[in-house]
Amino acid sequence: MRGMSLVVKVVTNIVVGFIFIYGVYIILHGHLTPGGGFAGGVIIAGALVLRILAFGVEPVSEKRAEERASAFESLGALLFIGIAFAGLIIGGAFFLNFLPQGTPLRLLSGGIIPLCNIAIGIKVGAGLFTIFLALAAIKYVMED
Amino acid sequence: MIAFLACIVLFLIGLYAIVTKRNLIKIVIGFALMEYGINLLFALIGFRHGSVAPIITQIDMPRRFVDPVPQALVLTAIVIALGTTALMLAVALRIYNRYKTFDIAEIRKLKG
Amino acid sequence: MIELYLFLFIMLIAAVIATEIKDLLAAVISLGAVGFSVAIMFILVQAPDLAIVQIVVEILTIVIFVAVVFRTTHIDETIGKRFASTHILSMVLFSLFAFLFLAAVVQSLRELPRFGYATMRVASEYIRLGLSECGGANIVADVILDFRALDTLGEATVLFTSVIGVLALMRKIGRKR
C-alpha cells in the first residue's frame, strides 16, 4: 500500500500521537467519564489506521504487524478472562469485584472496572486494527 | 411514538435493501442500516425528559438519570456491528475476486 | 426536541439514498450520513458513551467500505437493468411483509412507555447501588463491567470470532486457486 503526499505525512506525524494519548485517556478514565474500553480501543485503532493510511506499508512488514496485532488481541482476551477467573478463585464468583473500592470519584476506584477497561481496550483496539490490515491494506490477495 | 416508528422504518429500509437488491455491497449497507435502526430504538426507549446522562459527578447530586441499561446493551453492539460488517465485506471481496462482479444473479449463473 | 425529529428525517432520507443510488461510493457516503445523524441523536438523548463510540466506529466503517469499493468497482450495474420476475416477486413479498410488520409494531409500541417517560424498573437499582457496590462513577461502565460482565464477555467472543473469520478469509497460505 502506497503512502500519501508530504503534507498528509507531516500533519499525521503531529496528530497521531495526540490521538493515541486521547484513546489511552478515554480507557483509563472509563469508570469516571463517558468512554471506557470500547470507545478508547476504537480510538487507538483509528490512530493506527491513520498512520497506515498516511505512510503506507510494505507487504512483508505488514504481515508482521498483523501477527503482532493479533497477538495483542489474544492478550487482551486472556487478560479479561483472567480477571474473571481471579474473582472465581479469590471470592468464589465469576467476575467478582474482589479489589478494594478506593475513594469514590478518584482515578483509583471501582475495583476491577479499570482493569477490565484496559483489557477490553487492548482487545478492541488490536482486533479492529487486525481487521483493517487484513481487509484494506493487503494488496497481494487480489492478484491471485 | 413517531421517533420509535422512524427507527422501525429505518430497519425496514435496511431489510428492503437486503431482500430486493442484487448488489452485494448494497446488501451489506442494508445490514448496517438495520443495526443503526435497532441501536437508535434502544437508546430512544431509555430517554426521560429532564434527565442527564448516567454519570455521577458529585456524591450527593440528585440522581435523575436516563436509563443506563439500554446504553450498556447498545455500547457493545455498536463495536460488534463493525466486526460483522467487516466480515461480510471480506466475503464480498472474495466473491468479487472469483467472479469479477457483485451481482448475485450473475454469480448464480456462473456457478458450476 | 424538535432537533431530534429533524435528524430522524435527515437519517431516513440518507438511508433511502444509500439504498437506491447507482454509484457505490455515494452510497457509502450516505451510509456515513446516517451513522453521524445517529451519533448526534445519541448526544440529544443524553448518551455520551454511545456517541463517542458511534462517531469513531462510523469513521472506521467508512474507511473499510471505501477501501473495498476502491479496490473493486464503484458502479452498481444492477440498477437500471430490466426487472427479472424473481425481483418483482421479492418486491411484492417484501411489501406484504412490511405492511404486516408495521401493523404489529404499531400495536406493540402502544404497550411501551411513551417517548421520554422510561419506566426504569431494573435501572433504578443499578443507579442506587452503582457507586456504593462497584465504585465506578459512570453507571454505564458499572453495568457493562460489573453487573452484566458476562454479557460483555459474550460480545468480546463475537468480536474475536469475526476477527478470526476475516483473517481466515483474507489469507493467502493454503489456497489452491
Side-chain angles (χ1 to χ4, degrees):
Chain A
M1 190 170 193
R2 280 184 303 113
M4 292 191 186
S5 68
L6 185 66
V7 178
V8 179
K9 282 181 182 170
V10 170
V11 173
T12 304
N13 250 341
I14 297 168
V15 163
V16 74
F18 287 109
I19 298 177
F20 198 92
I21 293 288
Y22 178 63
V24 173
Y25 164 79
I26 288 274
I27 290 177
L28 290 184
H29 286 75
H31 56 300
L32 300 176
T33 53
F38 283 97
V42 184
I43 290 172
I44 285 180
L48 298 172
V49 166
L50 173 65
R51 199 182 151 280
I52 294 287
L53 282 180
F55 287 94
V57 64
E58 297 292 314
V60 180
S61 64
E62 183 186 311
K63 195 74 197 158
R64 217 167 47 225
E66 194 185 300
E67 279 163 7
R68 213 176 293 158
S70 151
F72 262 107
E73 198 205 354
S74 308
L75 176 76
L78 281 179
L79 212 57
F80 193 48
I81 297 179
I83 291 166
F85 270 110
L88 184 64
I89 290 165
I90 292 173
F94 207 57
F95 276 116
L96 183 77
N97 201 337
F98 58 88
L99 287 176
Q101 303 259 316
T103 336
L105 306 184
R106 294 282 165 201
L107 188 57
L108 288 178
S109 70
I112 63 166
I113 294 178
L115 292 180
C116 285
N117 264 331
I118 291 171
I120 289 184
I122 292 173
K123 183 177 161 32
V124 170
L128 294 183
F129 184 54
T130 312
I131 287 180
F132 172 79
L133 276 180
L135 199 58
I138 292 184
K139 196 84 177 175
Y140 58 78
V141 177
M142 295 303 292
E143 285 156 11
D144 55 345
Chain B
M1 182 76 181
I2 296 172
F4 295 162
L5 264 184
C7 299
I8 299 294
V9 169
L10 185 63
F11 178 85
L12 279 177
I13 292 172
L15 191 64
Y16 164 77
I18 291 170
V19 173
T20 64
K21 291 292 163 188
R22 282 168 43 187
N23 190 303
L24 278 172
I25 297 289
K26 287 285 176 69
I27 292 175
V28 179
I29 286 177
F31 271 106
L33 289 176
M34 284 170 78
E35 277 154 1
Y36 290 152
I38 296 304
N39 289 345
L40 189 59
L41 180 68
F42 267 59
L44 289 181
I45 285 174
F47 180 66
R48 281 203 299 175
H49 286 299
S51 303
V52 295
I55 291 155
I56 298 168
T57 48
Q58 285 148 14
I59 300 284
D60 50 353
M61 70 184 286
R63 298 199 182 167
R64 189 171 164 73
F65 293 140
V66 298
D67 196 340
V69 179
Q71 294 192 17
L73 296 178
V74 170
L75 183 65
T76 49
I78 294 174
V79 181
I80 301 305
L82 179 54
T84 52
T85 305
L87 185 59
M88 283 186 277
L89 281 176
V91 174
L93 206 55
R94 270 292 170 205
I95 290 175
Y96 186 87
N97 206 6
R98 180 94 161 70
Y99 295 106
K100 303 294 172 210
T101 179
F102 276 135
D103 188 346
I104 54 174
E106 293 286 322
I107 292 164
R108 208 173 292 149
K109 260 183 239 159
L110 290 171
K111 189 180 66 177
Chain C
M1 297 303 286
I2 186 71
E3 63 271 24
L4 181 75
Y5 295 103
L6 187 68
F7 277 109
L8 281 171
F9 186 66
I10 292 174
M11 177 187 83
L12 289 181
I13 300 273
V16 172
I17 292 174
T19 56
E20 287 301 329
I21 202 160
K22 191 179 173 66
D23 193 342
L24 285 178
L25 210 51
V28 170
I29 302 298
S30 302
L31 183 72
V34 178
F36 284 117
S37 315
V38 170
I40 292 171
M41 279 186 274
F42 282 153
I43 295 174
L44 291 178
V45 297
Q46 302 285 343
D49 294 270
L50 299 186
I52 293 174
V53 180
Q54 175 72 39
I55 287 178
V56 192
V57 163
E58 190 56 44
I59 293 169
L60 275 184
T61 309
I62 295 176
V63 166
I64 290 176
F65 260 108
V66 167
V68 170
V69 169
F70 253 41
R71 186 82 52 77
T72 54
T73 173
H74 64 96
I75 301 295
D76 179 3
E77 64 278 311
T78 60
I79 297 241
K81 269 190 186 168
R82 204 166 47 82
F83 285 154
S85 57
T86 53
H87 187 242
I88 295 172
L89 180 69
S90 65
M91 285 271 213
V92 170
L93 282 180
F94 172 77
S95 42
L96 198 68
F97 171 78
F99 182 73
L100 289 176
F101 184 72
L102 270 182
V105 161
V106 169
Q107 280 294 325
S108 54
L109 281 186
R110 287 218 186 99
E111 303 290 321
L112 277 180
R114 281 193 301 133
F115 174 62
Y117 298 91
T119 45
M120 304 176 64
R121 214 166 290 142
V122 185
S124 52
E125 282 297 298
Y126 288 162
I127 289 172
R128 196 167 60 81
L129 297 174
L131 191 58
S132 54
E133 296 244 317
C134 312
N138 185 351
I139 308 283
V140 177
D142 288 343
V143 174
I144 63 170
L145 293 178
D146 198 311
F147 291 121
R148 302 179 70 99
L150 276 177
D151 198 9
T152 311
L153 185 61
E155 303 269 15
T157 314
V158 176
L159 185 64
F160 195 74
T161 314
S162 70
V163 170
I164 301 248
V166 171
L167 282 183
L169 276 168
M170 300 314 274
R171 76 198 159 136
K172 196 181 183 187
I173 310 157
R175 289 186 62 86
K176 290 273 161 53
R177 222 169 267 281

